[in-house]
Amino acid sequence: NAGVTQTPKFQVLKTGQSMTLQCAQDMNHEYMSWYRQDPGMGLRLIHYSVGAGITDQGEVPNGYNVSRSTTEDFPLRLLSAAPSQTSVYFCASSYLQFNSPLHFGNGTRLTVT
Amino acid sequence: AQKITQTQPGMFVQEKEAVTLDCTYDTSDPSYGLFWYKQPSSGEMIFLIYQGSYDQQNATEGRYSLNFQKARKSANLVISASQLGDSAMYFCAMREGGGGATNKLIFGTGTLLAVQP
């Protein structure tokens, strides 16, 4: 059982480049989300989705796009990378049950130069 | 808006002793859930324990327990008999559950725990 799979593990971009972080889960979770983790700031929610075709903004959505065409996949797109987007990104999923904990991917370390 | 506060950026504890990691929260929703996660230096996020706002008893999971004080809006994590492997960053998180809730989980800034031999 793979759980939540994120790719790539590491990525270096130049300012202005675009890229997509991939996230897939095989647990049939309705809810999926993306966080960024920066030192001293905890995990901040970028975007989330409660089901296929439904997405919404979190705390820090600027500069990122998402889509949810299937239950399994929730890619995060950086349209024009900026140094401020240097961070560790986590994808996480859960059931919509209130007490369902988030299952996390292993993270993507992104550096924008 | 929901908010989670962890006021201890870092803590030390001696091996085999108990340690309490603080977490306070702010919400106007009477229905909510509180989660604790562990992040070792390897980076993965590990779910530890859950407490619901309507749960009558404090949650426990092995060496982890939650000191839930609803009136004070605090949900402190207690780790008993600390082990060297407990050295990690610990995050408190909250999900609101009232009408129109979105299932979002909001995290605090974390506490870095170092267990000393």
Side-chain angles (χ1 to χ4, degrees), chain B residues 2-45:
Chain B
Q2 59 189 104
K3 185 177 178 181
I4 290 282
T5 303
Q6 293 181 256
T7 58
Q8 305 154 312
M11 290 192 68
F12 290 96
V13 65
Q14 291 294 122
E15 197 177 5
K16 299 180 185 176
E17 292 186 347
V19 62
T20 297
L21 307 182
D22 294 342
C23 174
T24 58
Y25 58 91
D26 187 22
T27 179
S28 57
D29 193 331
S31 178
Y32 53 89
L34 297 152
F35 300 77
W36 277 91
Y37 282 83
K38 173 184 178 182
Q39 186 180 41
S41 57
S42 51
E44 71 267 31
M45 294 288 289

Side-chain angles (χ1 to χ4, degrees), chain A residues 16-85:
Chain A
Q17 287 184 320
S18 63
M19 78 158 297
T20 299
L21 306 184
Q22 301 291 346
C23 177
Q25 53 92 10
D26 62 0
M27 296 172 282
N28 207 29
H29 286 162
E30 304 95 339
Y31 180 83
M32 295 187 75
S33 55
W34 278 100
Y35 291 88
R36 61 177 288 173
Q37 182 178 16
D38 302 291
M41 305 194 74
L43 281 82
R44 292 182 292 169
L45 182 64
I46 304 171
H47 285 286
Y48 65 96
S49 168
V50 296
I54 305 169
T55 64
D56 207 344
Q57 296 181 350
E59 303 167 89
V60 289
N62 292 340
Y64 307 95
N65 276 357
V66 292
S67 60
R68 184 100 179 265
S69 56
T70 67
T71 300
E72 294 79 17
D73 300 300
F74 191 47
L76 177 72
R77 297 183 187 84
L78 282 70
L79 303 177
S80 179
S84 61
Q85 293 178 304

